């Protein structure tokens, strides 16, 4: 299979997955928002926000370095890479879980925060699932159709269980559990598939290789941490400074918007290993490809933003019910965030990282996190859910503009 055909297959697989996820989310998210209500849905969203930090530290930076290593390596290197990155993540799973759970227990004991431990346990299953489900492996070997099939099976089972067993606001624990079960089930299925398809894949780990993997992923981890500080921390701070109902209002808008952002992310994930190879083989062709992608995103993102901005007052009551009227303004504020994020993904994820500009990438995201931390608390205190939305818009715009300026100065892509 040629490189171009492989890219087209991967984009089709990822878009198929995201399209199916969109359809399922279109059915599931409004259902959960209506059944659980703003308060309990907000409680689930808050706890999912806490769990993101577990996944962030366990992923470290392997979600980007592992696919790149696999894409550039030979067929004989696959077992070594798989063993290295899988064992690195398992080590982090044990360490991070012990440290974070101890911190949460202490904070709960001192009444600094109140932890719903049943809800925490239900959501924590995603952490184990994300370790067992090596998306990075399928992405690196550019066989993403497997991700599509496995994810679809897991999500379909999860959604059927939610519709069957979640029928009132009191079922929020079950709702969280069934959502968390998807990556866990996908992980078990994927490991069985890998064992069947790739003989000898589970080889003995090499400590030196694991140390090197940590070293190479350090800058990416800093970047991922910075991204989380201005994306995930906002919802956690909103929950700490207000209440679950306000979190529910914001989450209603955010969940709907994420349906679009997941589609963009799917394309970026499929393109990343392809463009990493293309920069190595044919630099001018890679730049030409990215410029065409910018044009497509600009047209689609502008049209989509206008539709969201004008359609939010109609879509929110229809999809979520009148109890989520307060979600209209946050959705309108963030209407053009998918467009902005699509540009920053091209500038950073698809250009800076394949070209080895990890330090510049990390610095920009750390600056963005600093900006977000400076504005988020006063924005929440004054404007609550609308303030979080405005902070997200400002921060994402900052990231995109600064990345564009850096690339322009280096005469890369934008000239």
């Amino acid at each position: 299979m040629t490189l171009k055909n492989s890219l087209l297959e991967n984009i089709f697989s990822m878009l198929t997955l995201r399209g199916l996820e969109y359809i399922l989310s279109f059915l599931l998210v409004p259902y959960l928002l209506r059944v659980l209500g703003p308060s309990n849905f907000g409680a689930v969203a808050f706890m999912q926000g806490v769990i993101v930090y577990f996944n962030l530290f366990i992923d470290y930076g392997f979600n980007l370095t592992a696919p790149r290593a696999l894409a550039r390596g030979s067929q004989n290197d696959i077992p070594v890479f798989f063993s290295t990155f899988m064992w690195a993540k398992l080590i982090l799973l044990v360490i991070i879980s012990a440290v974070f759970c101890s911190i949460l227990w202490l904070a709960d004991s001192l009444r600094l925060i109140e932890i719903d431990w049943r809800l925490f346990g239900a959501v924590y299953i995603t952490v184990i699932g994300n370790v067992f489900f090596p998306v990075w492996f399928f992405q690196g070997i550019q066989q993403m159709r497997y991700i599509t099939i496995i994810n679809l099976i897991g999500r379909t089972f999860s959604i059927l269980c939610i519709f069957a067993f979640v029928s009132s606001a009191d079922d929020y624990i079950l709702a969280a559990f069934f959502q968390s079960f998807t990556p866990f089930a996908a992980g078990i299925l994927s490991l069985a598939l890998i064992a069947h398809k790739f003989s000898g894949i589970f080889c003995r780990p090499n400590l030196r290789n694991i140390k090197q993997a940590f070293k190479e992923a350090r800058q990416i981890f800093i970047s991922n941490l910075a991204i989380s500080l201005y994306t995930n921390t906002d919802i956690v701070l909103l929950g700490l400074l207000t209440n679950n109902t306000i979190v529910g209002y914001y989450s209603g808008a955010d969940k709907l918007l994420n349906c679009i952002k997941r589609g963009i992310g799917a394309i970026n994930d499929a393109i990343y290993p392809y463009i990493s190879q293309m920069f190595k083989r044919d630099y001018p062709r890679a730049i030409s490809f990215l410029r065409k992608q910018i044009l497509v995103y600009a047209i689609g993102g502008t049209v989509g933003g206008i539709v969201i901005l004008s359609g939010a007052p109609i879509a929110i009551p229809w999809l979520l019910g009148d109890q989520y009227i307060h979600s209209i303004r946050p959705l309108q504020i963030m209407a053009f965030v998918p467009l902005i994020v699509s540009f920053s993904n091209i500038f950073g994820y698809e250009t800076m990282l394949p070209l080895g500009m990890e330090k510049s990438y990390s610095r920009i995201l750390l600056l963005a996190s600093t900006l977000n931390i400076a504005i988020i608390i006063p924005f929440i205190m004054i404007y609550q859910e609308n303030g979080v939305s405005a902070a997200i818009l400002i921060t994402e715009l900052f990231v995109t503009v600064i990345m564009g300026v850096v690339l322009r100065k280096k005469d890369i892509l934008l000239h």
Side-chain angles (χ1 to χ4, degrees):
M1 182 180 294
T2 66
L3 190 61
K4 184 176 180 180
N5 288 340
S6 177
L7 172 66
L8 292 175
E9 179 185 330
N10 289 329
I11 290 179
F12 176 77
S13 296
M14 294 302 284
L15 285 179
T16 300
L17 172 61
R18 293 301 188 257
L20 293 170
E21 284 182 344
Y22 180 83
I23 295 171
L24 295 175
S25 295
F26 187 80
L27 298 173
L28 179 63
V29 171
Y31 177 78
L32 286 178
L33 285 164
R34 285 176 177 269
V35 170
L36 300 183
S39 180
N40 282 348
F41 188 88
V44 174
F46 173 77
M47 192 59 70
Q48 289 172 337
V50 172
I51 290 296
V52 165
Y53 290 102
F54 284 74
N55 290 325
L56 171 67
F57 279 84
I58 293 169
D59 282 342
Y60 197 65
F62 304 139
N63 58 319
L64 294 180
T65 57
R68 185 172 61 189
L70 284 160
R72 293 177 176 178
S74 66
Q75 190 74 19
N76 294 332
D77 294 328
I78 289 179
V80 175
F81 284 135
F82 180 84
S83 175
T84 298
F85 290 109
M86 180 59 75
W87 275 100
K89 289 173 72 71
L90 287 171
I91 291 169
L92 286 174
L93 172 65
V94 175
I95 296 173
I96 297 304
S97 295
V99 172
F100 277 27
C101 287
S102 298
I103 293 173
L104 290 174
W105 176 83
L106 182 61
D108 188 38
S109 300
L110 296 175
R111 299 187 182 278
L112 298 176
I113 58 175
E114 185 177 348
I115 300 294
D116 184 334
W117 289 105
R118 291 190 307 152
L119 180 58
F120 173 83
V123 178
Y124 178 78
I125 297 172
T126 60
V127 177
I128 301 173
N130 285 335
V131 172
F132 287 171
F133 188 22
V135 174
W136 50 268
F137 175 77
F138 295 112
Q139 185 183 357
I141 63 174
Q142 301 188 56
Q143 294 185 20
M144 295 180 189
R145 61 184 180 276
Y146 294 125
I147 300 177
T148 304
I149 297 169
I150 293 170
N151 245 317
L152 180 59
I153 293 172
R155 288 185 182 277
T156 301
F157 176 78
S158 172
I159 288 175
L160 289 175
C161 288
I162 288 174
F163 284 136
F165 299 107
V166 178
S167 58
S168 72
D170 294 333
D171 296 327
Y172 70 102
I173 302 290
L174 277 177
F177 171 77
F178 288 130
Q179 290 180 80
S180 304
F181 189 74
T182 297
F184 182 81
I188 300 301
L189 288 173
S190 66
L191 290 179
L193 177 65
I194 289 171
H196 175 70
K197 289 284 186 179
F198 300 91
S199 178
I201 193 74
F202 297 103
C203 63
R204 180 179 298 178
N206 184 294
L207 186 58
R208 182 178 298 176
N209 290 341
I210 293 174
K211 288 181 178 179
Q212 183 63 27
F214 277 112
K215 181 179 178 180
E216 292 177 355
R218 184 170 57 242
Q219 286 295 331
I220 302 297
F221 168 68
I222 294 172
S223 303
N224 289 343
L225 181 60
I227 292 172
S228 182
L229 287 176
Y230 71 80
T231 54
N232 183 68
T233 300
D234 289 354
I235 197 169
V236 174
L237 284 175
L238 184 64
L240 293 175
L241 296 175
T242 59
N243 56 60
N244 288 335
T245 301
I246 298 298
V247 174
Y249 292 149
Y250 169 75
S251 297
D254 185 56
K255 291 291 185 183
L256 293 178
L257 205 63
N258 275 340
C259 293
I260 301 171
K261 290 164 68 177
R262 279 201 299 266
I264 298 171
I267 298 175
N268 297 136
D269 287 343
I271 288 174
Y272 178 68
Y274 168 83
I275 205 68
S276 295
Q277 289 183 329
M278 185 56 64
F279 269 121
K280 188 176 180 180
R281 296 183 179 184
D282 191 341
Y283 181 92
R285 186 179 172 189
I287 293 296
S288 175
F289 177 88
L290 292 175
R291 286 175 178 165
K292 293 176 182 177
Q293 191 182 354
I294 289 173
L295 179 61
V296 172
Y297 279 0
I299 296 172
T302 301
V303 173
I306 293 171
V307 170
I308 294 171
L309 187 65
S310 59
I314 300 172
I316 290 291
W318 178 61
L319 290 173
L320 311 183
D322 292 337
Q323 58 185 335
Y324 285 94
I325 292 296
H326 290 287
S327 297
I328 294 174
R329 184 58 58 85
L331 184 59
Q332 289 179 316
I333 292 171
M334 297 187 292
F336 291 96
V337 166
L339 171 62
I340 298 168
V341 168
S342 68
F343 285 164
S344 67
N345 284 348
I346 294 175
F347 296 162
Y349 187 27
E350 296 183 19
T351 305
M352 299 178 94
L353 293 183
L355 292 176
M357 299 172 63
E358 286 93 347
K359 289 186 178 180
S360 296
Y361 182 74
S362 298
R363 287 169 183 166
I364 292 170
L365 295 177
L366 285 172
L367 283 174
S369 298
T370 303
L371 170 65
N372 184 258
I373 291 170
I375 65 177
I376 187 62
I377 293 179
F379 274 37
I380 289 175
M381 299 300 290
I382 299 172
Y383 302 110
Q384 298 185 328
E385 70 272 14
N386 295 331
V388 172
S389 303
I392 288 290
L393 174 64
I394 292 169
T395 307
E396 293 289 5
L397 186 60
F398 174 84
V399 170
T400 301
V401 170
I402 299 302
M403 283 184 175
V405 170
V406 170
L407 291 177
R408 181 63 182 262
K409 285 183 176 181
K410 292 182 176 294
D411 201 27
I412 299 172
L413 192 61
L414 301 174
H415 62 83

